[in-house]
Short mmCIF file of all heavy atoms in Angstrom, two decimals:
data_model
loop_
_atom_site.label_atom_id
_atom_site.label_comp_id
_atom_site.label_asym_id
_atom_site.label_seq_id
_atom_site.Cartn_x
_atom_site.Cartn_y
_atom_site.Cartn_z
N ARG A 737 13.89 -30.83 -108.34
CA ARG A 737 14.71 -30.32 -109.44
C ARG A 737 15.64 -29.19 -108.89
O ARG A 737 15.23 -28.38 -108.11
CB ARG A 737 13.73 -29.74 -110.50
CG ARG A 737 14.55 -29.21 -111.71
CD ARG A 737 13.58 -28.77 -112.81
NE ARG A 737 12.72 -29.86 -113.23
CZ ARG A 737 11.74 -29.72 -114.06
NH1 ARG A 737 11.50 -28.53 -114.64
NH2 ARG A 737 11.00 -30.77 -114.41
N PRO A 738 16.96 -29.20 -109.29
CA PRO A 738 17.83 -28.18 -108.83
C PRO A 738 17.44 -26.81 -109.32
O PRO A 738 16.83 -26.67 -110.37
CB PRO A 738 19.18 -28.65 -109.41
CG PRO A 738 18.80 -29.46 -110.61
CD PRO A 738 17.52 -30.11 -110.23
N SER A 739 17.77 -25.81 -108.52
CA SER A 739 17.46 -24.48 -108.93
C SER A 739 18.42 -24.00 -110.00
O SER A 739 19.39 -24.67 -110.28
CB SER A 739 17.53 -23.54 -107.67
OG SER A 739 18.87 -23.67 -107.11
N GLN A 740 18.07 -22.83 -110.56
CA GLN A 740 18.91 -22.30 -111.68
C GLN A 740 20.34 -22.07 -111.20
O GLN A 740 20.54 -21.41 -110.15
CB GLN A 740 18.27 -21.02 -112.22
CG GLN A 740 18.97 -20.50 -113.46
CD GLN A 740 18.29 -19.35 -114.01
OE1 GLN A 740 17.30 -18.88 -113.45
NE2 GLN A 740 18.75 -18.84 -115.15
N GLY A 741 21.28 -22.44 -111.95
CA GLY A 741 22.71 -22.31 -111.58
C GLY A 741 23.31 -23.55 -110.95
O GLY A 741 24.49 -23.72 -110.94
N GLN A 742 22.45 -24.39 -110.43
CA GLN A 742 22.97 -25.68 -109.90
C GLN A 742 23.10 -26.72 -111.00
O GLN A 742 22.43 -26.56 -112.10
CB GLN A 742 22.04 -26.19 -108.78
CG GLN A 742 21.99 -25.26 -107.58
CD GLN A 742 21.07 -25.80 -106.51
OE1 GLN A 742 20.30 -26.74 -106.80
NE2 GLN A 742 21.11 -25.25 -105.33
N GLU A 743 23.80 -27.77 -110.68
CA GLU A 743 23.98 -28.85 -111.75
C GLU A 743 22.69 -29.54 -111.89
O GLU A 743 21.99 -29.92 -110.95
CB GLU A 743 25.05 -29.77 -111.25
CG GLU A 743 25.37 -30.86 -112.20
CD GLU A 743 26.46 -31.81 -111.69
OE1 GLU A 743 26.98 -31.55 -110.60
OE2 GLU A 743 26.77 -32.76 -112.44
N SER A 744 22.28 -29.69 -113.18
CA SER A 744 21.00 -30.37 -113.48
C SER A 744 21.15 -31.84 -113.34
O SER A 744 22.22 -32.41 -113.56
CB SER A 744 20.54 -30.02 -114.88
OG SER A 744 20.35 -28.66 -115.04
N GLY A 745 20.07 -32.48 -113.01
CA GLY A 745 20.04 -33.92 -112.94
C GLY A 745 19.96 -34.49 -111.55
O GLY A 745 20.38 -33.84 -110.58
N PRO A 746 19.36 -35.65 -111.40
CA PRO A 746 19.23 -36.24 -110.08
C PRO A 746 20.48 -36.93 -109.66
O PRO A 746 21.43 -37.04 -110.42
CB PRO A 746 18.09 -37.25 -110.31
CG PRO A 746 18.30 -37.63 -111.73
CD PRO A 746 18.82 -36.44 -112.44
N PRO A 747 20.57 -37.41 -108.44
CA PRO A 747 21.75 -38.07 -107.99
C PRO A 747 21.97 -39.35 -108.85
O PRO A 747 21.07 -39.76 -109.49
CB PRO A 747 21.41 -38.43 -106.55
CG PRO A 747 20.38 -37.45 -106.13
CD PRO A 747 19.61 -37.12 -107.34
N ALA A 748 23.17 -39.75 -108.86
CA ALA A 748 23.51 -40.95 -109.62
C ALA A 748 22.60 -42.16 -109.32
O ALA A 748 22.39 -42.44 -108.14
CB ALA A 748 24.94 -41.36 -109.45
N GLY A 749 22.11 -42.75 -110.36
CA GLY A 749 21.24 -43.92 -110.14
C GLY A 749 19.82 -43.56 -109.89
O GLY A 749 19.00 -44.50 -109.71
N GLN A 750 19.46 -42.31 -109.92
CA GLN A 750 18.02 -41.93 -109.63
C GLN A 750 17.42 -41.33 -110.86
O GLN A 750 18.03 -40.46 -111.51
CB GLN A 750 18.02 -40.94 -108.47
CG GLN A 750 16.56 -40.48 -108.13
CD GLN A 750 16.52 -39.58 -106.92
OE1 GLN A 750 17.40 -39.58 -106.14
NE2 GLN A 750 15.48 -38.76 -106.86
N SER A 751 16.25 -41.74 -111.23
CA SER A 751 15.56 -41.20 -112.38
C SER A 751 14.68 -40.09 -111.89
O SER A 751 13.97 -40.14 -110.89
CB SER A 751 14.68 -42.26 -112.99
OG SER A 751 13.80 -41.72 -113.93
N PRO A 752 14.63 -38.96 -112.63
CA PRO A 752 13.79 -37.79 -112.22
C PRO A 752 12.30 -38.06 -112.34
O PRO A 752 11.50 -37.42 -111.81
CB PRO A 752 14.27 -36.67 -113.16
CG PRO A 752 14.75 -37.40 -114.36
CD PRO A 752 15.35 -38.67 -113.87
N TRP A 753 11.96 -39.17 -113.13
CA TRP A 753 10.50 -39.33 -113.41
C TRP A 753 9.97 -40.56 -112.70
O TRP A 753 8.76 -40.85 -112.69
CB TRP A 753 10.25 -39.55 -114.88
CG TRP A 753 10.98 -38.50 -115.70
CD1 TRP A 753 11.81 -38.69 -116.74
CD2 TRP A 753 10.85 -37.06 -115.54
NE1 TRP A 753 12.23 -37.52 -117.25
CE2 TRP A 753 11.67 -36.48 -116.48
CE3 TRP A 753 10.17 -36.25 -114.64
CZ2 TRP A 753 11.83 -35.12 -116.63
CZ3 TRP A 753 10.34 -34.91 -114.80
CH2 TRP A 753 11.10 -34.33 -115.73
N ALA A 754 10.88 -41.42 -112.12
CA ALA A 754 10.39 -42.67 -111.49
C ALA A 754 9.84 -42.54 -110.14
O ALA A 754 10.33 -41.70 -109.35
CB ALA A 754 11.52 -43.66 -111.50
N PHE A 755 8.81 -43.31 -109.77
CA PHE A 755 8.20 -43.30 -108.45
C PHE A 755 8.76 -44.55 -107.76
O PHE A 755 8.68 -45.69 -108.32
CB PHE A 755 6.70 -43.40 -108.48
CG PHE A 755 6.14 -42.13 -108.95
CD1 PHE A 755 5.78 -41.93 -110.31
CD2 PHE A 755 5.84 -41.10 -108.05
CE1 PHE A 755 5.22 -40.75 -110.72
CE2 PHE A 755 5.22 -39.96 -108.47
CZ PHE A 755 4.92 -39.76 -109.79
N PRO A 756 9.22 -44.50 -106.51
CA PRO A 756 9.65 -45.71 -105.81
C PRO A 756 8.38 -46.57 -105.48
O PRO A 756 7.26 -46.00 -105.35
CB PRO A 756 10.29 -45.13 -104.53
CG PRO A 756 9.76 -43.85 -104.41
CD PRO A 756 9.47 -43.31 -105.72
N ARG A 757 8.56 -47.82 -105.35
CA ARG A 757 7.40 -48.74 -105.04
C ARG A 757 6.79 -48.34 -103.73
O ARG A 757 7.41 -48.02 -102.75
CB ARG A 757 7.96 -50.20 -104.95
CG ARG A 757 6.83 -51.17 -104.78
CD ARG A 757 7.41 -52.60 -104.68
NE ARG A 757 8.15 -52.94 -105.92
CZ ARG A 757 7.61 -53.46 -106.99
NH1 ARG A 757 6.33 -53.64 -107.04
NH2 ARG A 757 8.33 -53.75 -108.00
N GLY A 758 5.50 -48.27 -103.76
CA GLY A 758 4.74 -47.95 -102.59
C GLY A 758 4.40 -46.43 -102.39
O GLY A 758 3.77 -46.05 -101.48
N THR A 759 4.97 -45.68 -103.29
CA THR A 759 4.72 -44.21 -103.24
C THR A 759 3.31 -43.91 -103.82
O THR A 759 3.01 -44.37 -104.93
CB THR A 759 5.77 -43.43 -103.97
OG1 THR A 759 7.04 -43.80 -103.39
CG2 THR A 759 5.53 -41.96 -103.80
N SER A 760 2.50 -43.19 -103.13
CA SER A 760 1.21 -42.77 -103.71
C SER A 760 1.35 -41.51 -104.44
O SER A 760 2.36 -40.80 -104.39
CB SER A 760 0.22 -42.55 -102.51
OG SER A 760 0.67 -41.54 -101.71
N LEU A 761 0.22 -41.09 -105.10
CA LEU A 761 0.28 -39.87 -105.88
C LEU A 761 0.44 -38.69 -105.05
O LEU A 761 0.90 -37.62 -105.52
CB LEU A 761 -1.01 -39.80 -106.69
CG LEU A 761 -1.15 -40.78 -107.84
CD1 LEU A 761 -2.53 -40.60 -108.53
CD2 LEU A 761 -0.06 -40.65 -108.89
N GLY A 762 0.08 -38.69 -103.78
CA GLY A 762 0.20 -37.56 -102.98
C GLY A 762 1.42 -37.56 -102.10
O GLY A 762 1.64 -36.65 -101.31
N GLN A 763 2.23 -38.57 -102.18
CA GLN A 763 3.42 -38.71 -101.35
C GLN A 763 4.64 -38.30 -102.15
O GLN A 763 4.93 -38.80 -103.22
CB GLN A 763 3.54 -40.12 -100.82
CG GLN A 763 4.78 -40.31 -99.89
CD GLN A 763 4.89 -41.75 -99.45
OE1 GLN A 763 3.98 -42.53 -99.74
NE2 GLN A 763 5.94 -42.11 -98.78
N ALA A 764 5.42 -37.38 -101.62
CA ALA A 764 6.58 -36.89 -102.33
C ALA A 764 7.81 -37.72 -102.04
O ALA A 764 8.14 -37.94 -100.92
CB ALA A 764 6.85 -35.41 -102.01
N PRO A 765 8.47 -38.28 -103.09
CA PRO A 765 9.73 -38.99 -102.86
C PRO A 765 10.83 -38.03 -102.50
O PRO A 765 10.86 -36.90 -102.90
CB PRO A 765 9.96 -39.72 -104.15
CG PRO A 765 9.32 -38.83 -105.16
CD PRO A 765 8.11 -38.24 -104.51
N THR A 766 11.71 -38.52 -101.72
CA THR A 766 12.92 -37.70 -101.39
C THR A 766 14.09 -38.08 -102.20
O THR A 766 14.15 -39.17 -102.84
CB THR A 766 13.32 -37.94 -99.90
OG1 THR A 766 13.70 -39.28 -99.73
CG2 THR A 766 12.11 -37.64 -98.96
N CYS A 767 15.01 -37.15 -102.32
CA CYS A 767 16.14 -37.37 -103.16
C CYS A 767 17.09 -38.45 -102.53
O CYS A 767 18.00 -38.94 -103.24
CB CYS A 767 17.00 -36.04 -103.35
SG CYS A 767 16.02 -34.77 -104.21
N ARG A 768 16.89 -38.76 -101.28
CA ARG A 768 17.72 -39.79 -100.67
C ARG A 768 17.38 -41.17 -101.01
O ARG A 768 18.15 -42.09 -100.82
CB ARG A 768 17.67 -39.61 -99.13
CG ARG A 768 18.12 -38.18 -98.70
CD ARG A 768 17.98 -38.09 -97.15
NE ARG A 768 18.31 -36.76 -96.68
CZ ARG A 768 18.18 -36.33 -95.47
NH1 ARG A 768 17.64 -37.14 -94.55
NH2 ARG A 768 18.48 -35.09 -95.09
#
Side-chain angles (χ1 to χ4, degrees):
R737 182 175 302 177
S739 60
Q740 187 176 3
Q742 296 179 347
E743 182 180 359
S744 299
Q750 179 176 337
S751 170
W753 313 127
F755 290 93
R757 185 180 300 273
T759 303
S760 65
L761 289 176
Q763 181 181 354
T766 63
C767 296
R768 301 175 183 176

